[in-house]
Amino acid sequence: MFFHQDATFDQLSIHRVGNKARDEFYILSEAPIDLSQDEVLPDLLMQYFMKPFAKAKEVYRLFHPNEDLQLNEVYHFAHAFFEGKMPFHEFSEQVTKHLYEASSHPNIKAGELYVVALSNVQMEGEDASAVGIFKSENKEAYLKVYPDQGGFNLEYEQEAININKLDKGVVIIKQDAEEGYKVLVTDQTNGSDAVYWKDDFLQLRVRDDNFQQTGNFLKVYKNFVNEKIDEVFEMDKAEKIDLLNRSMNYFKTHENFEEEEFSGEVLGNSEAISLFKDYRQQVEEELDMPFQSNFDIAAGAVKKMASDYKSVVKLDKNFHIYIHGKRDYIERGYDDDRGMNYYKLFFDNEQ
């Protein structure tokens, strides 16, 4: 989980990047922006830059196909800055030049590039410093209404930036440097030019460690239970919740994941096991997300996913049934006289 609530801007530089394919150039500013005299702007910028990452679920790594991280330009420049071998503004200039070289698709829009140095971010429970690289491409018109001589008047501004719509961004957290850092990314582009930000400019791949394996498996299993298992088995909501609870209990009570053990303890049905295996393989192929048959369970990832595993059955707008275990203590039926479904619950004590 990524938190930025206590983060502060150490430095900010703004440049402009054109489209190389259209013979547009880049424009470099001479020095960083001084935000020390403004009490409002830093908060607005923090909202603009950081809000899209508050619920980021995928963590990436910078990499290079030759397995030499120094050949990844963004990694090379970020590492030099983090290690104190490159001044911040020079780092921002080098990143801008590299993005310009990667902007070779004719549909890529020109825009402002904001490069920031951050301190006091928190990633997966650890405090760290970070750098952020953000690009604004789409502009909007804004109206401003203000009092004027006993009434009101209007002003407008063309080519303004909506701080609730960040086009592209990446946050590189100073953790796991030897593995390509922990990286969060966002890209709102939907088109043939969309790959340039992640693939050409950043060169990213999804982090593949115990934390990622644990989180990805729980996400895929949840989707399987909620969306796929109905194709073969007739299951009500309570039965699905029971399957989810059993999987979460497995991950909370085991230190290591073993595929055969999980399948037997949680699914316990050969047909369901086969169906899940096929579904998981399909996800692997579609998303290029390989799953390991054995891995150490990351408690932090289990805690993170626990909030997504809902254990409540909502009945119209009248009742909520929270199911935490003992699936055999709840029965579902249909009352012919009332023409309504019902649940029957068994218990020893009322509290």
Side-chain angles (χ1 to χ4, degrees), residues 67 304 341:
E67 300 300 328
K304 176 182 175 182
N341 300 305

Side-chain angles (χ1 to χ4, degrees), residues 292-348:
Q292 299 174 10
S293 57
N294 300 280
F295 54 83
D296 294 333
I297 293 174
V302 175
K303 182 178 180 181
K304 176 182 175 182
M305 284 300 301
S307 60
D308 289 338
Y309 269 53
K310 305 300 182 183
S311 59
V312 57
V313 178
K314 297 180 181 180
L315 307 177
D316 301 330
K317 295 183 179 180
N318 301 315
F319 307 103
H320 289 179
I321 301 175
Y322 291 86
I323 302 172
H324 303 292
K326 299 294 184 181
R327 173 63 187 86
D328 52 334
Y329 285 14
I330 180 171
E331 294 181 5
R332 189 179 191 276
Y334 183 81
D335 188 304
D336 292 321
D337 294 334
R338 295 194 178 192
M340 299 177 70
N341 300 305
Y342 68 82
Y343 276 105
K344 183 189 293 185
L345 308 177
F346 298 88
F347 60 94
D348 291 318

Side-chain angles (χ1 to χ4, degrees), residues 93-283:
E93 292 175 328
Q94 295 296 340
V95 165
T96 302
K97 294 175 184 178
H98 172 54
L99 178 59
Y100 175 75
E101 293 298 326
S103 303
S104 57
H105 192 285
N107 291 343
I108 294 174
K109 296 179 181 179
E112 290 75 35
L113 193 71
Y114 311 82
V115 184
V116 302
L118 298 162
S119 58
N120 299 322
V121 302
Q122 188 180 92
M123 182 66 183
E124 295 173 349
E126 297 181 8
D127 293 331
S129 56
V131 292
I133 305 168
F134 314 97
K135 187 184 179 190
S136 60
E137 296 177 339
N138 297 297
K139 305 299 191 298
E140 300 178 9
Y142 281 87
L143 295 177
K144 180 180 180 180
V145 180
Y146 60 93
D148 183 32
Q149 297 181 355
F152 295 92
N153 210 334
L154 278 173
E155 288 182 353
Y156 70 92
E157 184 172 353
Q158 296 278 22
E159 300 293 307
I161 297 172
N162 185 342
I163 64 169
N164 293 311
K165 295 181 180 180
L166 178 66
D167 293 313
K168 290 177 172 61
V170 60
V171 178
I172 303 169
I173 298 105
K174 189 182 177 183
Q175 293 176 346
D176 301 345
E178 67 284 356
E179 299 176 39
Y181 295 116
K182 295 178 182 178
V183 181
L184 304 176
V185 65
T186 184
D187 185 354
Q188 301 303 316
T189 305
N190 295 307
S192 57
D193 61 313
V195 298
Y196 92 95
W197 182 255
K198 289 183 180 179
D199 296 348
D200 300 334
F201 171 54
L202 295 169
Q203 296 189 79
L204 296 177
R205 65 182 173 191
V206 175
R207 177 180 64 172
D208 185 17
D209 58 10
N210 293 329
F211 190 98
Q212 199 75 8
Q213 284 286 328
T214 302
N216 286 344
F217 186 92
L218 285 169
K219 280 184 272 187
V220 169
Y221 179 79
K222 174 190 170 187
N223 291 339
F224 167 75
V225 171
N226 288 332
E227 301 170 7
K228 187 70 176 181
I229 203 168
D230 284 336
E231 296 181 7
V232 176
F233 300 94
E234 290 187 9
M235 303 187 73
D236 58 37
K237 183 75 171 180
E239 290 172 319
K240 289 184 176 182
I241 288 176
D242 181 57
L243 278 178
L244 293 176
N245 284 341
R246 282 156 61 182
S247 68
M248 185 57 64
N249 183 64
Y250 175 91
F251 275 84
K252 287 181 177 179
T253 57
H254 291 70
E255 293 183 356
N256 308 100
F257 171 85
E258 296 183 6
E259 184 177 1
E260 291 187 7
E261 180 184 59
F262 174 87
S263 298
E265 289 187 19
V266 177
L267 290 170
N269 177 290
S270 59
E271 191 174 3
I273 292 171
S274 178
L275 184 66
F276 177 58
K277 187 175 181 179
D278 291 342
Y279 177 76
R280 196 180 67 178
Q281 184 175 350
Q282 179 183 343
V283 173

Side-chain angles (χ1 to χ4, degrees), residues 16-30:
R16 182 170 176 81
V17 181
N19 185 306
K20 187 177 182 180
R22 297 199 298 260
D23 294 326
E24 299 169 349
F25 206 54
Y26 58 81
I27 302 173
L28 301 177
S29 58
E30 295 181 354

